[in-house]
Amino acid sequence: MRREPEGIADLAVKGLLAPMIPPHHGGLGWSHSQLGDWCRELGAVNTGHRAAVTVQSMAAAAVRRWGTSQVCGRILSRLADGSALAGFCLTEPAAGSDGASVQTTAQQHAGDWEVDGTKLWVTGGEWASLLMVIAKAPDGPTALLVDAMAEGVRRQPVTGTLVMRDAGLADISFDHVRVPAENLIGLPGFGFSHVANVALTNGRLTVAAGCAGMAEGCLTEATVHAGARRQGGRVLGEHQLVRRLLARAAAAACSARLLC
């Protein structure tokens, strides 16, 4: 069952899910610095929406770097305007970020590919329409774009998480899913070392910036609370210890932002 995202559609309409996509593909053409600032703003208020920007930008970065001109022309504009919402499928029951250990398979049949296996913790997996899957092929880990509505694709929402409850986390299984040959990204065997590496590097930037924003958001809330809450006849912010804690938190948050 595909659940449409709440609020994320508005970001997609404004081109803010994958803003680094160049203008000739319908994107905003932002720099890494601009993307980081945007994720920092999102992280301060809603890390689930930041996660949606992360995964959409990861897929866009990988397609832009390693997709053929035909794939870029067909996919990037859809990622830019949100008509395609991406999911990045790497983690498995026995494999985390180690792409060489994935057990999901991709075999060629009559020129196309067939994918079988299970992926866990797919951000946006509940609503994704396009899945970038890292699978084990005879030549090594291989990256394929899979239609999430294709026959044989099953998704199971992940519920009860402590955070990111609106990030659409889902486990996704593939049962003899046919994938057109033109949906190969990069070369067979390049799926982890090249394609996923570009995606993950982009993702680490957005996650780091989002966490810096989360720290700034927490600092803002703590400062407001310290200025309003009274204890023992005094405002909390009048206590030297509280001021010291807030000052250290401010320095740490500023350092995180500058480091990003």
Side-chain angles (χ1 to χ4, degrees), residues 88-178:
F88 184 74
C89 303
L90 175 62
T91 303
E92 296 183 359
S97 58
D98 179 12
S101 299
V102 298
Q103 297 302 306
T104 295
T105 60
Q107 300 288 339
Q108 283 189 291
H109 292 281
D112 290 337
W113 294 84
E114 185 174 278
V115 177
D116 291 274
T118 300
K119 297 294 186 177
L120 304 181
W121 303 102
V122 178
T123 301
E126 275 196 70
W127 56 64
S129 57
L130 187 67
L131 303 169
M132 178 168 285
V133 180
I134 309 300
K136 180 173 65 174
D139 291 324
T142 298
L144 294 162
L145 291 178
V146 179
D147 181 355
M149 305 304 291
E151 184 177 357
V153 178
R154 302 287 183 271
R155 50 182 121 207
Q156 178 61 48
V158 176
T159 60
T161 57
L162 182 62
V163 294
M164 287 177 53
R165 295 190 178 190
D166 57 351
L169 297 176
D171 299 337
I172 300 181
S173 62
F174 305 89
D175 183 15
H176 300 296
V177 178
R178 296 301 290 257

Side-chain angles (χ1 to χ4, degrees), residues 193-257:
S193 59
H194 292 67
V195 182
N197 190 43
V198 168
L200 292 171
T201 299
N202 187 282
R204 291 178 183 121
L205 162 70
T206 60
V207 171
C211 288
M214 192 183 300
E216 291 176 335
C218 290
L219 175 62
T220 298
E221 293 294 326
T223 302
V224 171
H225 178 74
R229 169 71 173 174
R230 301 185 68 85
Q231 187 71 33
R234 299 179 64 187
V235 175
L236 287 181
E238 295 178 357
H239 292 278
Q240 185 178 18
L241 175 60
V242 174
R243 289 184 176 183
R244 184 177 69 180
L245 291 172
L246 290 174
R248 288 182 173 178
C254 180
S255 296
R257 174 176 57 80

